[in-house]
mmCIF file with all atom_site columns, all heavy atoms in Angstrom:
data_model
loop_
_atom_site.group_PDB
_atom_site.id
_atom_site.type_symbol
_atom_site.label_atom_id
_atom_site.label_alt_id
_atom_site.label_comp_id
_atom_site.label_asym_id
_atom_site.label_entity_id
_atom_site.label_seq_id
_atom_site.pdbx_PDB_ins_code
_atom_site.Cartn_x
_atom_site.Cartn_y
_atom_site.Cartn_z
_atom_site.occupancy
_atom_site.B_iso_or_equiv
_atom_site.pdbx_formal_charge
_atom_site.auth_seq_id
_atom_site.auth_comp_id
_atom_site.auth_asym_id
_atom_site.auth_atom_id
_atom_site.pdbx_PDB_model_num
ATOM 1   N N   . LYS T 1 24 ? -12.953 19.432 -7.566  1.00 33.00 ? 410 LYS T N   1
ATOM 2   C CA  . LYS T 1 24 ? -12.444 20.699 -7.050  1.00 33.00 ? 410 LYS T CA  1
ATOM 3   C C   . LYS T 1 24 ? -12.545 20.804 -5.535  1.00 33.00 ? 410 LYS T C   1
ATOM 4   O O   . LYS T 1 24 ? -12.903 21.844 -5.019  1.00 33.00 ? 410 LYS T O   1
ATOM 5   C CB  . LYS T 1 24 ? -13.237 21.837 -7.680  1.00 33.00 ? 410 LYS T CB  1
ATOM 6   C CG  . LYS T 1 24 ? -12.658 22.319 -8.975  1.00 33.00 ? 410 LYS T CG  1
ATOM 7   C CD  . LYS T 1 24 ? -13.286 23.638 -9.303  1.00 33.00 ? 410 LYS T CD  1
ATOM 8   C CE  . LYS T 1 24 ? -12.781 24.167 -10.630 1.00 33.00 ? 410 LYS T CE  1
ATOM 9   N NZ  . LYS T 1 24 ? -13.507 25.369 -11.009 1.00 33.00 ? 410 LYS T NZ  1
ATOM 10  N N   . ARG T 1 25 ? -12.271 19.737 -4.871  1.00 33.00 ? 411 ARG T N   1
ATOM 11  C CA  . ARG T 1 25 ? -12.342 19.864 -3.419  1.00 33.00 ? 411 ARG T CA  1
ATOM 12  C C   . ARG T 1 25 ? -10.950 20.006 -2.859  1.00 33.00 ? 411 ARG T C   1
ATOM 13  O O   . ARG T 1 25 ? -9.986  19.491 -3.390  1.00 33.00 ? 411 ARG T O   1
ATOM 14  C CB  . ARG T 1 25 ? -13.046 18.659 -2.817  1.00 33.00 ? 411 ARG T CB  1
ATOM 15  C CG  . ARG T 1 25 ? -14.506 18.652 -3.180  1.00 33.00 ? 411 ARG T CG  1
ATOM 16  C CD  . ARG T 1 25 ? -15.159 17.432 -2.672  1.00 33.00 ? 411 ARG T CD  1
ATOM 17  N NE  . ARG T 1 25 ? -15.065 17.379 -1.217  1.00 33.00 ? 411 ARG T NE  1
ATOM 18  C CZ  . ARG T 1 25 ? -15.438 16.305 -0.534  1.00 33.00 ? 411 ARG T CZ  1
ATOM 19  N NH1 . ARG T 1 25 ? -15.877 15.258 -1.159  1.00 33.00 ? 411 ARG T NH1 1
ATOM 20  N NH2 . ARG T 1 25 ? -15.352 16.307 0.765   1.00 33.00 ? 411 ARG T NH2 1
ATOM 21  N N   . LYS T 1 26 ? -10.879 20.672 -1.820  1.00 34.00 ? 412 LYS T N   1
ATOM 22  C CA  . LYS T 1 26 ? -9.550  20.922 -1.268  1.00 34.00 ? 412 LYS T CA  1
ATOM 23  C C   . LYS T 1 26 ? -9.676  21.018 0.240   1.00 34.00 ? 412 LYS T C   1
ATOM 24  O O   . LYS T 1 26 ? -10.750 21.312 0.763   1.00 34.00 ? 412 LYS T O   1
ATOM 25  C CB  . LYS T 1 26 ? -9.000  22.216 -1.821  1.00 34.00 ? 412 LYS T CB  1
ATOM 26  C CG  . LYS T 1 26 ? -10.006 23.348 -1.649  1.00 34.00 ? 412 LYS T CG  1
ATOM 27  C CD  . LYS T 1 26 ? -9.498  24.661 -2.121  1.00 34.00 ? 412 LYS T CD  1
ATOM 28  C CE  . LYS T 1 26 ? -10.584 25.706 -1.903  1.00 34.00 ? 412 LYS T CE  1
ATOM 29  N NZ  . LYS T 1 26 ? -10.178 27.040 -1.898  1.00 34.00 ? 412 LYS T NZ  1
ATOM 30  N N   . PRO T 1 27 ? -8.589  20.768 0.899   1.00 34.00 ? 413 PRO T N   1
ATOM 31  C CA  . PRO T 1 27 ? -8.628  20.854 2.365   1.00 34.00 ? 413 PRO T CA  1
ATOM 32  C C   . PRO T 1 27 ? -8.637  22.299 2.805   1.00 34.00 ? 413 PRO T C   1
ATOM 33  O O   . PRO T 1 27 ? -7.667  22.800 3.360   1.00 34.00 ? 413 PRO T O   1
ATOM 34  C CB  . PRO T 1 27 ? -7.360  20.121 2.781   1.00 34.00 ? 413 PRO T CB  1
ATOM 35  C CG  . PRO T 1 27 ? -6.426  20.270 1.624   1.00 34.00 ? 413 PRO T CG  1
ATOM 36  C CD  . PRO T 1 27 ? -7.269  20.383 0.406   1.00 34.00 ? 413 PRO T CD  1
ATOM 37  N N   . VAL T 1 28 ? -9.700  22.941 2.544   1.00 31.00 ? 414 VAL T N   1
ATOM 38  C CA  . VAL T 1 28 ? -9.787  24.378 2.774   1.00 31.00 ? 414 VAL T CA  1
ATOM 39  C C   . VAL T 1 28 ? -9.401  24.781 4.180   1.00 31.00 ? 414 VAL T C   1
ATOM 40  O O   . VAL T 1 28 ? -8.633  25.708 4.392   1.00 31.00 ? 414 VAL T O   1
ATOM 41  C CB  . VAL T 1 28 ? -11.219 24.908 2.558   1.00 31.00 ? 414 VAL T CB  1
ATOM 42  C CG1 . VAL T 1 28 ? -11.204 25.971 1.535   1.00 31.00 ? 414 VAL T CG1 1
ATOM 43  C CG2 . VAL T 1 28 ? -12.143 23.772 2.263   1.00 31.00 ? 414 VAL T CG2 1
ATOM 44  N N   . GLY T 1 29 ? -10.023 24.111 5.098   1.00 32.00 ? 415 GLY T N   1
ATOM 45  C CA  . GLY T 1 29 ? -9.856  24.539 6.491   1.00 32.00 ? 415 GLY T CA  1
ATOM 46  C C   . GLY T 1 29 ? -8.405  24.710 6.853   1.00 32.00 ? 415 GLY T C   1
ATOM 47  O O   . GLY T 1 29 ? -7.979  25.760 7.287   1.00 32.00 ? 415 GLY T O   1
ATOM 48  N N   . HIS T 1 30 ? -7.656  23.688 6.582   1.00 34.00 ? 416 HIS T N   1
ATOM 49  C CA  . HIS T 1 30 ? -6.288  23.711 7.055   1.00 34.00 ? 416 HIS T CA  1
ATOM 50  C C   . HIS T 1 30 ? -5.460  24.782 6.364   1.00 34.00 ? 416 HIS T C   1
ATOM 51  O O   . HIS T 1 30 ? -4.846  25.617 6.988   1.00 34.00 ? 416 HIS T O   1
ATOM 52  C CB  . HIS T 1 30 ? -5.661  22.349 6.839   1.00 34.00 ? 416 HIS T CB  1
ATOM 53  C CG  . HIS T 1 30 ? -4.274  22.285 7.394   1.00 34.00 ? 416 HIS T CG  1
ATOM 54  N ND1 . HIS T 1 30 ? -4.067  22.205 8.738   1.00 34.00 ? 416 HIS T ND1 1
ATOM 55  C CD2 . HIS T 1 30 ? -3.077  22.348 6.790   1.00 34.00 ? 416 HIS T CD2 1
ATOM 56  C CE1 . HIS T 1 30 ? -2.758  22.193 8.947   1.00 34.00 ? 416 HIS T CE1 1
ATOM 57  N NE2 . HIS T 1 30 ? -2.140  22.274 7.777   1.00 34.00 ? 416 HIS T NE2 1
ATOM 58  N N   . THR T 1 31 ? -5.513  24.755 5.076   1.00 30.00 ? 417 THR T N   1
ATOM 59  C CA  . THR T 1 31 ? -4.652  25.668 4.352   1.00 30.00 ? 417 THR T CA  1
ATOM 60  C C   . THR T 1 31 ? -5.028  27.109 4.629   1.00 30.00 ? 417 THR T C   1
ATOM 61  O O   . THR T 1 31 ? -4.170  27.947 4.868   1.00 30.00 ? 417 THR T O   1
ATOM 62  C CB  . THR T 1 31 ? -4.750  25.409 2.843   1.00 30.00 ? 417 THR T CB  1
ATOM 63  O OG1 . THR T 1 31 ? -6.131  25.301 2.543   1.00 30.00 ? 417 THR T OG1 1
ATOM 64  C CG2 . THR T 1 31 ? -4.044  24.133 2.498   1.00 30.00 ? 417 THR T CG2 1
ATOM 65  N N   . ASN T 1 32 ? -6.283  27.346 4.630   1.00 30.00 ? 418 ASN T N   1
ATOM 66  C CA  . ASN T 1 32 ? -6.684  28.721 4.847   1.00 30.00 ? 418 ASN T CA  1
ATOM 67  C C   . ASN T 1 32 ? -6.415  29.201 6.255   1.00 30.00 ? 418 ASN T C   1
ATOM 68  O O   . ASN T 1 32 ? -6.203  30.376 6.475   1.00 30.00 ? 418 ASN T O   1
ATOM 69  C CB  . ASN T 1 32 ? -8.155  28.887 4.523   1.00 30.00 ? 418 ASN T CB  1
ATOM 70  C CG  . ASN T 1 32 ? -8.319  29.107 3.047   1.00 30.00 ? 418 ASN T CG  1
ATOM 71  O OD1 . ASN T 1 32 ? -7.530  29.826 2.476   1.00 30.00 ? 418 ASN T OD1 1
ATOM 72  N ND2 . ASN T 1 32 ? -9.283  28.454 2.456   1.00 30.00 ? 418 ASN T ND2 1
ATOM 73  N N   . LEU T 1 33 ? -6.446  28.276 7.158   1.00 29.00 ? 419 LEU T N   1
ATOM 74  C CA  . LEU T 1 33 ? -6.129  28.643 8.524   1.00 29.00 ? 419 LEU T CA  1
ATOM 75  C C   . LEU T 1 33 ? -4.747  29.217 8.602   1.00 29.00 ? 419 LEU T C   1
ATOM 76  O O   . LEU T 1 33 ? -4.494  30.220 9.229   1.00 29.00 ? 419 LEU T O   1
ATOM 77  C CB  . LEU T 1 33 ? -6.181  27.389 9.388   1.00 29.00 ? 419 LEU T CB  1
ATOM 78  C CG  . LEU T 1 33 ? -7.483  27.277 10.108  1.00 29.00 ? 419 LEU T CG  1
ATOM 79  C CD1 . LEU T 1 33 ? -7.555  25.948 10.773  1.00 29.00 ? 419 LEU T CD1 1
ATOM 80  C CD2 . LEU T 1 33 ? -7.592  28.414 11.073  1.00 29.00 ? 419 LEU T CD2 1
ATOM 81  N N   . LYS T 1 34 ? -3.869  28.529 7.952   1.00 31.00 ? 420 LYS T N   1
ATOM 82  C CA  . LYS T 1 34 ? -2.507  29.015 7.974   1.00 31.00 ? 420 LYS T CA  1
ATOM 83  C C   . LYS T 1 34 ? -2.451  30.401 7.376   1.00 31.00 ? 420 LYS T C   1
ATOM 84  O O   . LYS T 1 34 ? -1.828  31.302 7.910   1.00 31.00 ? 420 LYS T O   1
ATOM 85  C CB  . LYS T 1 34 ? -1.606  28.082 7.174   1.00 31.00 ? 420 LYS T CB  1
ATOM 86  C CG  . LYS T 1 34 ? -1.069  26.944 8.003   1.00 31.00 ? 420 LYS T CG  1
ATOM 87  C CD  . LYS T 1 34 ? -0.102  26.115 7.227   1.00 31.00 ? 420 LYS T CD  1
ATOM 88  C CE  . LYS T 1 34 ? 1.197   26.847 6.981   1.00 31.00 ? 420 LYS T CE  1
ATOM 89  N NZ  . LYS T 1 34 ? 2.095   26.799 8.129   1.00 31.00 ? 420 LYS T NZ  1
ATOM 90  N N   . LEU T 1 35 ? -3.151  30.535 6.306   1.00 28.00 ? 421 LEU T N   1
ATOM 91  C CA  . LEU T 1 35 ? -3.119  31.819 5.627   1.00 28.00 ? 421 LEU T CA  1
ATOM 92  C C   . LEU T 1 35 ? -3.602  32.927 6.542   1.00 28.00 ? 421 LEU T C   1
ATOM 93  O O   . LEU T 1 35 ? -2.944  33.938 6.726   1.00 28.00 ? 421 LEU T O   1
ATOM 94  C CB  . LEU T 1 35 ? -4.000  31.765 4.390   1.00 28.00 ? 421 LEU T CB  1
ATOM 95  C CG  . LEU T 1 35 ? -3.366  31.043 3.209   1.00 28.00 ? 421 LEU T CG  1
ATOM 96  C CD1 . LEU T 1 35 ? -4.383  30.934 2.106   1.00 28.00 ? 421 LEU T CD1 1
ATOM 97  C CD2 . LEU T 1 35 ? -2.133  31.792 2.751   1.00 28.00 ? 421 LEU T CD2 1
ATOM 98  N N   . SER T 1 36 ? -4.738  32.688 7.115   1.00 31.00 ? 422 SER T N   1
ATOM 99  C CA  . SER T 1 36 ? -5.310  33.775 7.894   1.00 31.00 ? 422 SER T CA  1
ATOM 100 C C   . SER T 1 36 ? -4.497  34.038 9.147   1.00 31.00 ? 422 SER T C   1
ATOM 101 O O   . SER T 1 36 ? -4.427  35.151 9.624   1.00 31.00 ? 422 SER T O   1
ATOM 102 C CB  . SER T 1 36 ? -6.747  33.450 8.253   1.00 31.00 ? 422 SER T CB  1
ATOM 103 O OG  . SER T 1 36 ? -6.792  32.178 8.808   1.00 31.00 ? 422 SER T OG  1
ATOM 104 N N   . ASN T 1 37 ? -3.887  33.007 9.650   1.00 33.00 ? 423 ASN T N   1
ATOM 105 C CA  . ASN T 1 37 ? -3.079  33.223 10.831  1.00 33.00 ? 423 ASN T CA  1
ATOM 106 C C   . ASN T 1 37 ? -1.883  34.090 10.539  1.00 33.00 ? 423 ASN T C   1
ATOM 107 O O   . ASN T 1 37 ? -1.454  34.888 11.354  1.00 33.00 ? 423 ASN T O   1
ATOM 108 C CB  . ASN T 1 37 ? -2.576  31.884 11.363  1.00 33.00 ? 423 ASN T CB  1
ATOM 109 C CG  . ASN T 1 37 ? -3.487  31.377 12.429  1.00 33.00 ? 423 ASN T CG  1
ATOM 110 O OD1 . ASN T 1 37 ? -4.331  32.136 12.889  1.00 33.00 ? 423 ASN T OD1 1
ATOM 111 N ND2 . ASN T 1 37 ? -3.329  30.137 12.795  1.00 33.00 ? 423 ASN T ND2 1
ATOM 112 N N   . GLN T 1 38 ? -1.342  33.864 9.408   1.00 34.00 ? 424 GLN T N   1
ATOM 113 C CA  . GLN T 1 38 ? -0.116  34.583 9.128   1.00 34.00 ? 424 GLN T CA  1
ATOM 114 C C   . GLN T 1 38 ? -0.379  35.881 8.399   1.00 34.00 ? 424 GLN T C   1
ATOM 115 O O   . GLN T 1 38 ? 0.526   36.564 7.954   1.00 34.00 ? 424 GLN T O   1
ATOM 116 C CB  . GLN T 1 38 ? 0.820   33.683 8.330   1.00 34.00 ? 424 GLN T CB  1
ATOM 117 C CG  . GLN T 1 38 ? 1.318   32.545 9.223   1.00 34.00 ? 424 GLN T CG  1
ATOM 118 C CD  . GLN T 1 38 ? 1.751   31.345 8.454   1.00 34.00 ? 424 GLN T CD  1
ATOM 119 O OE1 . GLN T 1 38 ? 1.662   31.346 7.228   1.00 34.00 ? 424 GLN T OE1 1
ATOM 120 N NE2 . GLN T 1 38 ? 2.205   30.323 9.145   1.00 34.00 ? 424 GLN T NE2 1
ATOM 121 N N   . GLY T 1 39 ? -1.637  36.171 8.304   1.00 34.00 ? 425 GLY T N   1
ATOM 122 C CA  . GLY T 1 39 ? -2.029  37.484 7.816   1.00 34.00 ? 425 GLY T CA  1
ATOM 123 C C   . GLY T 1 39 ? -1.465  37.799 6.448   1.00 34.00 ? 425 GLY T C   1
ATOM 124 O O   . GLY T 1 39 ? -1.639  37.054 5.504   1.00 34.00 ? 425 GLY T O   1
ATOM 125 N N   . GLN T 1 40 ? -0.786  38.924 6.394   1.00 36.00 ? 426 GLN T N   1
ATOM 126 C CA  . GLN T 1 40 ? -0.274  39.436 5.139   1.00 36.00 ? 426 GLN T CA  1
ATOM 127 C C   . GLN T 1 40 ? 0.651   38.445 4.426   1.00 36.00 ? 426 GLN T C   1
ATOM 128 O O   . GLN T 1 40 ? 0.674   38.378 3.215   1.00 36.00 ? 426 GLN T O   1
ATOM 129 C CB  . GLN T 1 40 ? 0.496   40.734 5.412   1.00 36.00 ? 426 GLN T CB  1
ATOM 130 C CG  . GLN T 1 40 ? -0.396  41.869 5.849   1.00 36.00 ? 426 GLN T CG  1
ATOM 131 C CD  . GLN T 1 40 ? -1.117  42.470 4.682   1.00 36.00 ? 426 GLN T CD  1
ATOM 132 O OE1 . GLN T 1 40 ? -0.563  42.581 3.589   1.00 36.00 ? 426 GLN T OE1 1
ATOM 133 N NE2 . GLN T 1 40 ? -2.368  42.841 4.871   1.00 36.00 ? 426 GLN T NE2 1
ATOM 134 N N   . GLU T 1 41 ? 1.360   37.725 5.214   1.00 37.00 ? 427 GLU T N   1
ATOM 135 C CA  . GLU T 1 41 ? 2.333   36.848 4.597   1.00 37.00 ? 427 GLU T CA  1
ATOM 136 C C   . GLU T 1 41 ? 1.681   35.648 3.933   1.00 37.00 ? 427 GLU T C   1
ATOM 137 O O   . GLU T 1 41 ? 2.334   34.895 3.232   1.00 37.00 ? 427 GLU T O   1
ATOM 138 C CB  . GLU T 1 41 ? 3.323   36.360 5.651   1.00 37.00 ? 427 GLU T CB  1
ATOM 139 C CG  . GLU T 1 41 ? 4.224   37.471 6.112   1.00 37.00 ? 427 GLU T CG  1
ATOM 140 C CD  . GLU T 1 41 ? 5.046   37.032 7.310   1.00 37.00 ? 427 GLU T CD  1
ATOM 141 O OE1 . GLU T 1 41 ? 5.158   35.809 7.518   1.00 37.00 ? 427 GLU T OE1 1
ATOM 142 O OE2 . GLU T 1 41 ? 5.541   37.903 8.013   1.00 37.00 ? 427 GLU T OE2 1
#
Side-chain angles (χ1 to χ4, degrees):
Chain T
K410 271 195 182 174
R411 291 176 61 188
K412 51 178 180 161
V414 237
H416 184 75
T417 46
N418 276 319
L419 262 172
K420 273 185 71 81
L421 282 174
S422 50
N423 265 348
Q424 291 156 359
Q426 292 282 323
E427 290 171 19

